[in-house]
Amino acid sequence: MLSVGLAGKPNSGKSTFFKAATLVDVDIANYPFTTIDANHGVSYVRIPCPCKELGIKDGCGKCKDGVRFIPIELIDVAGLVPDAHLGKGLGNEFLDALRVAEAVIHVLDASGGTDAEGNPVGLGNHDPVSDVKFLEYEISMWLNGILKRNWEKLMRNYKALGGKPDQVMIDQMAGAGVADSHIRRALSEIKKDPGAWKEEDIKSFAGLLRANSKPMILAANKMDVAPPENVKKLLAMKDELVIPVSGAAEIALRMAEKAGLIRYMPGDPDFEIKGQLNKAQTAGLEKIRALMKEYGGTGVQQCINRAVFELLDYIVLFPVEDENKYTDRKGVILPDAFLMKRGSTARDLAFRVHSDIGESFLFAIDARTKMRLGEKHELKDGDVIKIVSTK
Ligand SMILES: Nc1nc2c(ncn2[C@@H]2O[C@H](COP(=O)(O)OP(=O)(O)OP(=O)(O)O)[C@@H](O)[C@H]2O)c(=O)[nH]1
Ligand SMILES: [Mg+2]
């Protein structure tokens, strides 16, 4: 399953975001280092289900009112402070939990109520913009540390045995969640042969690996209490993808929905009251509604969606057995929704369904147009595809 990590300084609201997005009950508290061991949970990207547009009466049964949620893994890690790689705070070994993460949501405390170490300092007394850059550096330095393990021995072998620089680096970074393609791209950007690298070159390479393998989105969290100028300042940062968020508001909405008090789906720009509310509940919910009006929602679902579809460029594909009824063998309509990288081909989808199907692939059929597609045909977001194979 595709993984996305939540990281940032202590007390910024990572676990609150995690709980909001997964409904897994985790420790949340107003002091640094509440979370030590990473939390893993299932969250979802939200997409419009194609069943409506395909004219399936009564819906497909896999979506809710035409909204479909596809599972991803979310990881909530311990807080990091500047110079964590030198052992500050709890150090940066906790980043090992991010190995499998393909993207990182950097949770910022936009309220300015906590300092760089996560200590409460009173609303508006810390500039959140000053917290933005450190995380990229700490993740780079964590990768730098992995790169440098046995570096001398590695380079001796490399020089003695020859071999390709990319293979040497791929072996070294195996297990750090860095894909071969990220390594090749970083090598082509740095140009110098690893045999001649100095400390600084290893560091720059680690920086490039970070940018390629752990792209980041900024969640300007606690927007419900943040001074508006803080949110504005963060949104004005060029080169950064910033989303105003209130993890606390999202938890409140999901709880109210569970209790039957409101109609709300994660990612909705608004909600509808349907139960009997007391005064305090009404006031709390109306405050949230005002916030949602201003920013288009609570921001939690937006962060996950934009990380997956914008940062990582995933698309959604729907394999079916019957291209006329859009079903599997048992008659389930649009049974699967797979997240795959843009550029995936018909054969890639076949392999994703099953390695046997991939190996015995003959051709595919686009269920909308009934056109035949060859193995190298690049699929589009939302394609409904039947795979024809000899198996
Ligand atoms: N007002 C408001 N408070 C929030 C929000 N998100 C988190 N908080 C508060 O911020 C404090 C820290 O929240 P956590 O979720 O524990 O933060 P964390 O980043 O996981 O902290 P560590 O595990 O210590 O690194 C708690 O008091 C939360 O209630 C939010 O959206 N709005
Ligand atoms: Mg936490």
Side-chain angles (χ1 to χ4, degrees):
M1 202 177 340
L2 159 57
S3 292
V4 173
L6 295 166
K9 74 178 186 183
N11 220 352
S12 63
K14 300 176 293 299
S15 298
T16 302
F17 186 113
F18 177 84
K19 180 177 173 179
T22 62
L23 286 184
V24 176
D25 218 357
V26 290
D27 291 338
I28 293 171
N30 187 21
Y31 49 77
F33 305 118
T34 303
T35 306
I36 309 269
D37 296 325
N39 298 305
H40 294 249
V42 175
S43 188
Y44 301 86
V45 290
R46 170 184 169 144
I47 58 155
C49 187
C51 69
K52 273 204 166 156
E53 160 235 326
L54 293 172
I56 292 158
K57 272 188 258 128
D58 310 324
C60 63
K62 288 270 178 180
C63 69
K64 212 174 154 194
D65 300 332
V67 176
R68 186 145 175 162
F69 290 93
I70 307 169
I72 62 147
E73 181 187 40
L74 199 63
I75 307 165
D76 167 33
V77 300
L80 270 193
V81 301
D83 283 338
H85 71 282
L86 301 175
K88 283 265 175 74
L90 295 181
N92 70 353
E93 65 199 80
F94 295 89
L95 287 181
D96 281 357
L98 284 185
R99 282 168 187 272
V100 294
E102 291 184 39
V104 171
I105 298 174
H106 180 181
V107 181
L108 292 163
D109 179 353
S111 77
T114 50
D115 67 15
E117 271 83 42
N119 304 300
V121 292
L123 281 184
N125 288 321
H126 179 82
D127 182 3
V129 173
S130 69
D131 295 333
V132 169
K133 279 294 167 193
F134 94 98
L135 185 63
E136 290 182 1
Y137 183 68
E138 291 303 326
I139 295 181
S140 300
M141 291 309 286
W142 164 67
L143 291 171
N144 184 60
I146 298 171
L147 265 172
K148 279 174 51 181
R149 274 176 212 159
N150 316 312
W151 182 260
E152 260 110 61
K153 189 172 151 224
L154 188 84
M155 282 302 119
R156 270 200 309 275
N157 288 347
Y158 170 55
K159 284 177 190 157
L161 304 173
K164 291 193 176 135
D166 49 348
Q167 199 51 53
V168 175
M169 291 300 138
I170 288 166
D171 293 344
Q172 182 72 346
M173 296 311 285
V178 180
D180 301 5
S181 62
H182 301 139
I183 290 174
R184 293 206 175 92
R185 192 153 101 213
L187 275 173
S188 75
E189 286 166 47
I190 204 162
K191 295 190 178 84
K192 220 168 165 182
D193 186 277
W197 285 0
K198 306 216 163 53
E199 285 277 319
E200 282 312 304
D201 299 306
I202 303 176
K203 257 192 209 169
S204 330
F205 185 65
L208 291 170
L209 285 185
R210 199 292 306 162
N212 292 339
S213 67
K214 306 283 176 221
M216 231 176 246
I217 201 167
L218 304 184
N221 190 39
K222 309 194 191 179
M223 68 161 174
D224 51 305
V225 290
E229 64 269 20
N230 274 6
V231 180
K232 250 188 233 145
K233 262 199 300 190
L234 287 166
L235 282 171
M237 292 182 75
K238 287 191 292 235
D239 313 322
E240 307 284 349
L241 191 51
V242 183
I243 300 168
V245 171
S246 173
E250 181 71 14
I251 291 182
L253 292 179
R254 294 206 192 185
M255 292 304 172
E257 195 276 335
K258 254 187 148 180
L261 299 174
I262 62 170
R263 222 183 303 280
Y264 172 71
M265 272 198 275
D268 280 353
D270 199 357
F271 59 88
E272 201 184 304
I273 291 173
K274 62 174 194 185
Q276 275 297 324
L277 303 182
N278 62 33
K279 250 191 180 160
Q281 288 170 325
T282 310
L285 283 171
E286 288 310 325
K287 226 176 113 194
I288 293 177
R289 197 196 301 277
L291 200 70
M292 294 171 83
K293 281 247 157 72
E294 190 163 346
Y295 296 108
T298 68
V300 169
Q301 187 66 57
Q302 288 87 330
C303 282
I304 295 170
N305 264 51
R306 291 182 72 175
V308 171
F309 296 121
E310 269 177 56
L311 276 187
L312 298 173
D313 212 12
Y314 273 86
I315 59 173
V316 184
L317 300 171
F318 300 87
V320 293
E321 293 268 353
D322 182 327
E323 73 274 26
N324 296 309
K325 294 194 183 126
Y326 315 116
T327 58
D328 67 6
R329 223 166 271 164
K330 295 182 206 128
V332 180
I333 305 167
L334 297 171
D336 295 306
F338 288 158
L339 285 164
M340 293 186 72
K341 280 278 189 188
R342 189 180 300 282
S344 295
T345 62
R347 190 161 200 146
D348 293 334
L349 176 62
F351 268 107
R352 175 70 185 270
V353 172
H354 199 281
S355 55
D356 283 352
I357 310 273
E359 269 148 29
S360 60
F361 178 93
L362 291 174
F363 58 91
I365 300 171
D366 182 326
R368 285 194 183 80
T369 60
K370 316 294 178 213
M371 296 260 284
R372 264 193 189 214
L373 313 171
E375 58 171 345
K376 293 209 174 83
H377 180 91
E378 188 179 316
L379 300 173
K380 298 187 305 299
D381 190 26
D383 272 351
V384 181
I385 301 290
K386 175 184 168 64
I387 310 271
V388 181
S389 65
T390 55
K391 287 243 165 93

PDB file of all heavy atoms in Angstrom, residues 14-16 27-28 34-35 39 76-77, ligand 2:
ATOM      1  N   LYS A  14       0.841  16.397  14.751  1.00  0.00           N
ATOM      2  CA  LYS A  14       0.949  15.234  13.854  1.00  0.00           C
ATOM      3  C   LYS A  14      -0.023  14.130  14.259  1.00  0.00           C
ATOM      4  O   LYS A  14      -0.718  13.562  13.420  1.00  0.00           O
ATOM      5  CB  LYS A  14       2.389  14.682  13.868  1.00  0.00           C
ATOM      6  CG  LYS A  14       3.430  15.694  13.419  1.00  0.00           C
ATOM      7  CD  LYS A  14       4.830  15.160  13.543  1.00  0.00           C
ATOM      8  CE  LYS A  14       5.268  14.924  14.971  1.00  0.00           C
ATOM      9  NZ  LYS A  14       5.279  16.165  15.804  1.00  0.00           N
ATOM     10  N   SER A  15      -0.051  13.830  15.562  1.00  0.00           N
ATOM     11  CA  SER A  15      -0.926  12.744  16.014  1.00  0.00           C
ATOM     12  C   SER A  15      -2.396  13.131  15.902  1.00  0.00           C
ATOM     13  O   SER A  15      -3.253  12.282  15.663  1.00  0.00           O
ATOM     14  CB  SER A  15      -0.584  12.348  17.451  1.00  0.00           C
ATOM     15  OG  SER A  15       0.743  11.865  17.507  1.00  0.00           O
ATOM     16  N   THR A  16      -2.667  14.413  16.051  1.00  0.00           N
ATOM     17  CA  THR A  16      -4.048  14.888  15.886  1.00  0.00           C
ATOM     18  C   THR A  16      -4.474  14.702  14.432  1.00  0.00           C
ATOM     19  O   THR A  16      -5.574  14.202  14.153  1.00  0.00           O
ATOM     20  CB  THR A  16      -4.142  16.376  16.292  1.00  0.00           C
ATOM     21  OG1 THR A  16      -3.691  16.499  17.648  1.00  0.00           O
ATOM     22  CG2 THR A  16      -5.553  16.898  16.173  1.00  0.00           C
ATOM     23  N   ASP A  27      -2.198   8.857  21.384  1.00  0.00           N
ATOM     24  CA  ASP A  27      -1.927   9.865  22.414  1.00  0.00           C
ATOM     25  C   ASP A  27      -1.733  11.243  21.789  1.00  0.00           C
ATOM     26  O   ASP A  27      -0.952  11.402  20.851  1.00  0.00           O
ATOM     27  CB  ASP A  27      -0.663   9.495  23.195  1.00  0.00           C
ATOM     28  CG  ASP A  27      -0.885   8.263  24.052  1.00  0.00           C
ATOM     29  OD1 ASP A  27      -2.066   7.969  24.353  1.00  0.00           O
ATOM     30  OD2 ASP A  27       0.097   7.589  24.398  1.00  0.00           O
ATOM     31  N   ILE A  28      -2.453  12.195  22.333  1.00  0.00           N
ATOM     32  CA  ILE A  28      -2.348  13.587  21.897  1.00  0.00           C
ATOM     33  C   ILE A  28      -2.205  14.415  23.167  1.00  0.00           C
ATOM     34  O   ILE A  28      -2.975  14.240  24.112  1.00  0.00           O
ATOM     35  CB  ILE A  28      -3.636  14.015  21.143  1.00  0.00           C
ATOM     36  CG1 ILE A  28      -3.755  13.246  19.831  1.00  0.00           C
ATOM     37  CG2 ILE A  28      -3.653  15.525  20.907  1.00  0.00           C
ATOM     38  CD1 ILE A  28      -5.083  13.434  19.115  1.00  0.00           C
ATOM     39  N   THR A  34       5.185  13.529  22.838  1.00  0.00           N
ATOM     40  CA  THR A  34       4.093  12.664  23.274  1.00  0.00           C
ATOM     41  C   THR A  34       4.204  11.330  22.537  1.00  0.00           C
ATOM     42  O   THR A  34       4.030  10.263  23.114  1.00  0.00           O
ATOM     43  CB  THR A  34       2.733  13.326  22.954  1.00  0.00           C
ATOM     44  OG1 THR A  34       2.707  14.596  23.581  1.00  0.00           O
ATOM     45  CG2 THR A  34       1.581  12.484  23.438  1.00  0.00           C
ATOM     46  N   THR A  35       4.487  11.413  21.247  1.00  0.00           N
ATOM     47  CA  THR A  35       4.629  10.182  20.449  1.00  0.00           C
ATOM     48  C   THR A  35       6.104   9.771  20.430  1.00  0.00           C
ATOM     49  O   THR A  35       6.964  10.595  20.131  1.00  0.00           O
ATOM     50  CB  THR A  35       4.181  10.436  18.996  1.00  0.00           C
ATOM     51  OG1 THR A  35       2.868  10.978  19.014  1.00  0.00           O
ATOM     52  CG2 THR A  35       4.210   9.154  18.177  1.00  0.00           C
ATOM     53  N   ASN A  39       3.079   5.638  14.850  1.00  0.00           N
ATOM     54  CA  ASN A  39       1.739   5.059  14.671  1.00  0.00           C
ATOM     55  C   ASN A  39       1.520   4.784  13.190  1.00  0.00           C
ATOM     56  O   ASN A  39       1.861   5.616  12.354  1.00  0.00           O
ATOM     57  CB  ASN A  39       0.670   6.043  15.143  1.00  0.00           C
ATOM     58  CG  ASN A  39       0.778   6.362  16.621  1.00  0.00           C
ATOM     59  OD1 ASN A  39       0.778   5.452  17.460  1.00  0.00           O
ATOM     60  ND2 ASN A  39       0.897   7.633  16.961  1.00  0.00           N
ATOM     61  N   ASP A  76       2.609   8.211  11.517  1.00  0.00           N
ATOM     62  CA  ASP A  76       2.805   9.362  12.413  1.00  0.00           C
ATOM     63  C   ASP A  76       4.087   9.108  13.203  1.00  0.00           C
ATOM     64  O   ASP A  76       4.179   8.120  13.925  1.00  0.00           O
ATOM     65  CB  ASP A  76       1.579   9.425  13.344  1.00  0.00           C
ATOM     66  CG  ASP A  76       1.765  10.351  14.539  1.00  0.00           C
ATOM     67  OD1 ASP A  76       2.463  11.369  14.407  1.00  0.00           O
ATOM     68  OD2 ASP A  76       1.181  10.043  15.612  1.00  0.00           O
ATOM     69  N   VAL A  77       5.089   9.973  13.025  1.00  0.00           N
ATOM     70  CA  VAL A  77       6.370   9.698  13.689  1.00  0.00           C
ATOM     71  C   VAL A  77       6.633  10.675  14.832  1.00  0.00           C
ATOM     72  O   VAL A  77       5.985  11.714  14.961  1.00  0.00           O
ATOM     73  CB  VAL A  77       7.566   9.699  12.704  1.00  0.00           C
ATOM     74  CG1 VAL A  77       7.395   8.648  11.636  1.00  0.00           C
ATOM     75  CG2 VAL A  77       7.788  11.063  12.095  1.00  0.00           C
TER      76      VAL A  77
HETATM   77 MG    MG B   2       2.445  12.809  18.375  1.00  0.00          MG
END
